[in-house]
Amino acid sequence: MTPEFHTALDTALAHAATPGRAPAVRAYMRDQFDFLGVGTPQRRQAAKPLLQQLKGISADNLILYARALWDFPQREYQYVAIDLLAMHWKQLELAHIPDLLELVQSKSWWDTVDALAAVIGDVLRYRHDGMDQAIEHNDMWVRRIALLHQLGWRDKVDVERLFNYSLMLAHEKEFFIQKAIGWALRDYARHDPDAVRAFTSKEKHRLSALSYREANKHLSTP
């Protein structure tokens, strides 16, 4: 990351910050991260011109920028890193999935992990490279990525993989895993409600109550 970009971003975010907002957001995030106090719309508006200027830089440099932003203590810089990757995801390749998974495992919480799941899903584009390993990873957040990487794929979802992944992790007591199972199933239910209804009915004894409830949240009783 160039000093000029760093300085310009610092200035833009400082001007976009709302006085008094940072303590409330920090408390909402369980005091895990420092914040500047910049709301999402304000952050995106402030950073967008700077991120657009990076169009055309190499994919490797995109990753380097993201890593540099990840090192800042204030959470908004990680959000800007994700905005950068989301804006230029078409420049990324399957070879960059391990780099994205490294970010998943650093300063991990649902906010950055779920946003990175969307970027990873875009880069994979109906493939599953690395996800069979991710579902068995010792880091819970990487396993969550494997569960969520097909969100929004509709008829492109690998249904067998979705159901198998859900059952592989169905025994876990971790809230964020149980929730992700339900979320992934609920998302696919928008495309094929009968398949999800049949699966959750058959496997109800294996799924947690949370996963089952989330999966069937918008499904009517047959």
Side-chain angles (χ1 to χ4, degrees), residues 30-77:
R30 301 184 182 181
D31 292 318
Q32 296 187 90
F33 312 105
D34 288 329
F35 284 86
L36 296 170
V38 184
T40 298
Q42 293 79 14
R43 181 194 77 244
R44 288 177 174 163
Q45 182 178 2
K48 185 177 180 179
L50 297 172
L51 301 186
Q52 287 177 328
Q53 292 174 17
L54 298 178
K55 182 178 180 180
I57 70 170
S58 70
D60 288 343
N61 276 328
L62 284 175
I63 295 294
L64 290 176
Y65 267 77
R67 286 175 175 162
L69 290 164
W70 223 262
D71 287 338
F72 286 93
Q74 293 84 11
R75 195 61 163 170
E76 285 90 348
Y77 287 97

Side-chain angles (χ1 to χ4, degrees), residues 93-144:
E93 300 175 353
L94 295 175
H96 296 104
I97 295 297
D99 298 308
L100 298 175
L101 291 177
E102 284 185 13
L103 295 178
V104 168
Q105 297 172 74
S106 177
K107 300 182 179 179
S108 309
W109 197 240
W110 61 265
D111 54 343
T112 54
V113 171
D114 293 357
L116 285 169
V119 174
I120 288 170
D122 284 339
V123 175
L124 287 173
R125 283 166 288 182
Y126 318 130
R127 297 182 62 173
H128 309 277
D129 298 57
M131 293 300 101
D132 288 347
Q133 293 73 38
I135 198 67
E136 298 183 303
H137 200 277
N138 59 7
D139 189 300
M140 176 266 293
W141 297 109
V142 176
R143 299 197 299 276
R144 183 172 166 99

Side-chain angles (χ1 to χ4, degrees), residues 185-186 188-198 200 212-222:
L185 293 170
R186 185 175 76 242
Y188 183 62
R190 295 187 177 97
H191 173 69
D192 193 343
D194 290 340
V196 173
R197 187 184 291 110
T200 55
Y212 180 86
R213 184 170 64 251
E214 288 294 317
N216 286 274
K217 196 169 186 178
H218 303 301
L219 293 180
S220 59
T221 302

